[in-house]
């Protein structure tokens, strides 16, 4: 016989940490649902800057046309994720057809299949939910360098006390990917605030402003369906002197009030705009 032994990767926990699992009780592992949480440690150590970078660690997720400099769309188990309700931040639907920043995120949750309907609505694909960092005592500044001298600077600064706290995340990047000519710039400013209003009442506020400009690297389908010549990832089709970057300006804000009632129930009220 053959004995196979393995260990769980601490960077890939199987227990979701968001409110999406609240209806299922505490023991998620006993529920008939397939899900993964790609945590903050994995995002940091892999150097992921795009959602596509971190989702490649989940074998069930594949790009559904996610070129550089454009929106990121995905499919789970071969089914496209709904761009209206399938992409979420802290369980709240956001516009999927816009870049979603990672510098202020503590994890990416993938709920596969119709189980996503437990969050209110779902499709055959499931849900992709980004979790924001919460206030903590942190003082970090970073510099990142990647392909072709891409440079970026980051700031993570926050404070926490018994009554709540705040956390500021900011980043500025000069994008120089391997695709020659698909250059761009990116800026992010995000603020998270927690406030304890009463012993059983917590208010959470998130505000995130992002701007991204980048020359788009269109897909090979623009060749008209002909037999493809050898194409390398450095190729940018249609790049001309008059090419202009695709620009995304995104503003997301949400407020969530959690109240634990004397009866044991939990009441959650949420408002958001993207």
């Amino acid at each position: 016989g053959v004995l196979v032994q393995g260990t769980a990767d601490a960077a890939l926990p199987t227990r979701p940490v968001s409110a999406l699992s609240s209806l299922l009780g505490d023991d998620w592992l006993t529920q008939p649902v397939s899900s993964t949480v790609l945590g903050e440690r994995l995002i940091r150590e892999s150097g992921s800057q795009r959602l596509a970078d971190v989702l490649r660690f989940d074998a069930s997720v594949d790009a559904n046309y996610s070129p550089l400099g454009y929106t990121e769309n995905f499919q789970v188990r071969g089914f496209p994720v709904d761009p209206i309700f399938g992409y979420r931040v802290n369980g709240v639907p956001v516009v999927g057809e816009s870049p979603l920043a990672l510098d202020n995120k503590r994890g990416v949750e993938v709920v596969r299949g119709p189980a996503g309907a437990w969050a209110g609505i779902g499709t055959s694909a499931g849900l992709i939910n980004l979790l924001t960092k919460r206030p903590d005592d942190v003082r970090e500044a970073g510099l990142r360098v990647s392909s072709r001298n891409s440079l970026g600077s980051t700031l993570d600064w926050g404070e926490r006390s018994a009554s709540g706290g705040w956390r500021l995340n900011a980043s500025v990047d000069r994008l120089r990917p391997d695709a020659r000519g698909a250059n761009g710039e990116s800026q992010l400013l995000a603020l998270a605030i927690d406030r304890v209003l009463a012993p059983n009442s917590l208010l959470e506020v998130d505000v995130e402003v992002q701007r991204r400009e980048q020359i788009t690297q269109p897909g090979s389908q623009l060749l008209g369906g002909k037999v493809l010549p050898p194409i390398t990832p450095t190729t940018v089709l249609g790049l001309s002197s008059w090419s202009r970057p695709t620009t995304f300006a995104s503003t997301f804000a949400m407020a969530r009030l959690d109240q634990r009632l004397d009866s044991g129930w939990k009441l959650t009220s949420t408002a958001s705009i993207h």
Side-chain angles (χ1 to χ4, degrees), residues 17-210:
V17 294
S18 78
L20 293 181
S21 61
S22 59
L23 292 178
L24 301 178
D26 294 330
D27 191 358
W28 175 276
L29 297 180
T30 65
Q31 305 300 325
V33 65
S34 178
S35 63
T36 304
V37 176
L38 306 171
E40 182 178 351
R41 175 184 169 188
L42 175 65
I43 296 175
R44 177 193 294 264
E45 294 184 354
S46 65
S48 298
Q49 292 183 255
R50 303 172 67 225
L51 190 54
D53 296 336
V54 66
L55 287 178
R56 64 189 173 90
F57 291 98
D58 189 326
S60 67
V61 183
D62 195 11
N64 189 38
Y65 193 66
S66 300
L68 289 172
Y70 200 62
T71 61
E72 298 178 273
N73 298 281
F74 301 92
Q75 55 185 355
V76 179
R77 294 174 172 172
F79 293 93
V81 178
D82 185 353
I84 299 177
F85 294 104
Y87 297 92
R88 303 191 174 209
V89 173
N90 296 334
V92 175
V94 294
V95 180
E97 296 180 344
S98 64
L100 298 174
L102 292 180
D103 284 321
N104 67 322
K105 303 301 188 298
R106 61 187 172 96
V108 178
E109 180 182 47
V110 179
V111 180
R112 292 178 281 272
W118 282 322
I121 189 170
T123 65
S124 298
L127 296 174
I128 296 176
N129 183 44
L130 285 75
L131 310 168
T132 59
K133 296 177 181 178
R134 302 318 308 164
D136 200 357
D137 293 319
V138 59
R139 301 282 194 282
E140 292 184 3
L143 177 67
R144 53 190 173 209
V145 181
S146 56
S147 60
R148 291 188 55 230
N149 294 323
S150 293
L151 297 175
S153 58
T154 63
L155 175 67
D156 191 354
W157 184 19
E159 294 181 357
R160 184 171 182 83
S161 64
S163 60
W166 58 272
R167 188 164 185 170
L168 177 69
N169 285 98
S171 64
V172 178
D173 285 275
R174 184 186 72 177
L175 308 173
R176 299 294 184 269
D178 289 332
R180 302 302 174 96
N183 299 334
E185 313 290 335
S186 178
Q187 302 89 34
L188 169 70
L189 183 63
L191 178 65
I193 300 175
D194 287 357
R195 184 67 178 177
V196 178
L197 303 180
N200 294 324
S201 182
L202 174 65
L203 176 65
E204 298 179 342
V205 177
D206 283 276
V207 179
E208 177 181 318
V209 179
Q210 182 186 17

